[in-house]
Amino acid sequence: MKFDVLTLFPQMFEPLKQSIIGRAVKNNKMEINLINIRDFSKDKHKKVDDTVYGGGAGMLIKPDVVWDAYNSIKSEKSKVIYLTPQGKTLSQGKVEELSKEEHLILLCGHYEGIDQRVLDKIVDEEISIGDYVLTGGEIPAMVLIDSVSRYIDGVLANDSVSEESFANGLLEYPQYTRPEEFLGIKVPEVLQSGHHENIKKWRRKEAIKVTYIKRPELLKIAKLDDEDKKFLEELKK
Ligand code: ADE
């Protein structure tokens, strides 16, 4: 999977050089290229923005620089995502869907945004990371890269993705490590029993319980079997 990021602030992406993503890039499991939109300015002062037609506060990124930056990296397989609060809210399902793409171009706005004409020409999909407004699309682009990369082969340990929160529509069950007793609280006995079937059942029930307490609205779309539903009914009593 290749990510090309069109941004005016490539330095903001330093955090992706750390930890799991940094290692995955080094090991060629994925590629992240940062394209500075300013490099495509033909202006002698490298200007990329201008005032808004019709008046109003702030500056807008000019269409020609974005167009040229896009044309320098587009491919047959590329899909362009514009990070904007106007987009569809990113979900785990969308993350998984995007992980199947070969080449994502992430367009980051800054200032008041980008001239609509170039957006209409190149953007395939608009994505938001939540109903609040940030200073630019850089942090949302990093959120998208981080979440999508976890589905790319070789980035995480084998079963990490299938076991986690949201993988089956439920939140994750509680987990424990040594010591066996901490501040007088013992690790649940079943987890030390070595009985895999019982451990699996306990984790499933705990996941349903946690979801019911913290995010009950998720249960409407979670995949629950008859036993799960029975347990949920008991919880509700
Ligand atoms: N740009 C500014 N705010 C944003 C948000 N919430 N999601 C995506 N891009 C943004």
Side-chain angles (χ1 to χ4, degrees):
M1 155 85 86
K2 176 156 94 169
F3 295 96
D4 280 330
V5 185
L6 300 177
T7 171
L8 285 171
F9 297 94
Q11 323 83 282
M12 283 184 75
F13 291 81
E14 281 295 307
L16 295 182
K17 294 191 178 141
Q18 311 297 320
S19 183
I20 295 169
I21 313 284
R23 192 178 55 217
V25 170
K26 266 196 200 119
N27 294 339
N28 296 318
K29 304 293 179 199
M30 57 193 272
E31 198 181 321
I32 304 173
N33 301 310
L34 304 172
I35 296 100
N36 192 339
I37 296 171
R38 198 174 297 282
D39 290 344
F40 294 84
S41 171
K42 294 178 194 85
D43 181 279
K44 66 170 185 261
H45 303 294
K46 292 278 170 203
K47 192 172 148 72
V48 289
D49 55 354
D50 213 327
T51 52
V52 184
Y53 271 105
M59 304 286 271
L60 216 54
I61 301 175
K62 290 153 71 69
D64 53 332
V65 283
V66 174
W67 177 247
D68 290 346
Y70 161 72
N71 278 295
S72 76
I73 46 142
K74 73 168 180 198
S75 70
E76 295 249 302
K77 303 242 167 85
S78 54
K79 175 175 187 138
V80 178
I81 293 174
Y82 177 42
L83 287 311
T84 163
Q86 295 188 5
K88 275 240 183 76
T89 311
L90 190 62
S91 65
Q92 197 65 29
K94 175 52 81 178
V95 164
E96 191 169 359
E97 187 188 310
L98 291 175
S99 71
K100 297 183 177 113
E101 296 287 338
E102 273 181 44
H103 181 197
L104 291 180
I105 297 177
L106 307 182
L107 175 58
C108 306
H110 225 91
Y111 313 120
E112 286 306 300
I114 302 176
D115 184 289
Q116 189 62 42
R117 290 165 295 181
V118 72
L119 295 177
D120 290 344
K121 281 280 178 203
I122 71 173
V123 172
D124 295 304
E125 196 166 339
E126 295 186 333
I127 289 183
S128 161
I129 62 161
D131 287 340
Y132 40 81
V133 182
L134 301 167
T135 54
E138 282 75 13
I139 291 172
M142 278 188 269
V143 168
L144 193 147
I145 293 172
D146 189 292
S147 55
V148 169
S149 65
R150 301 176 66 261
Y151 283 93
I152 299 172
D153 271 355
V155 173
L156 292 186
N158 278 346
D159 55 359
S160 300
V161 178
S162 57
E163 284 291 312
E164 70 194 354
S165 285
F166 295 115
N168 46 21
L170 295 173
L171 300 182
E172 200 168 43
Y173 47 80
Q175 300 194 82
Y176 305 88
T177 184
R178 270 180 272 277
E180 193 191 321
E181 186 173 331
F182 175 68
L183 300 178
I185 307 159
K186 287 203 168 128
V187 171
E189 230 172 272
V190 59
L191 299 177
Q192 299 179 69
S193 68
H195 194 303
H196 296 296
E197 194 52 37
N198 285 352
I199 292 173
K200 204 171 146 198
K201 278 190 188 154
W202 181 87
R203 285 179 166 165
R204 182 83 188 164
K205 285 186 173 169
E206 288 296 313
I208 294 171
K209 208 192 287 177
V210 169
T211 310
Y212 175 64
I213 293 166
K214 296 185 181 174
R215 298 284 307 277
E217 76 281 12
L218 292 177
L219 288 167
K220 289 192 199 102
I221 46 171
K223 290 178 206 122
L224 300 180
D225 64 19
D226 288 345
E227 204 173 323
D228 295 334
K229 284 179 192 155
K230 215 171 107 197
F231 178 67
L232 184 60
E233 286 314 310
E234 275 166 31
L235 272 182
K236 286 179 181 171
K237 279 178 197 159

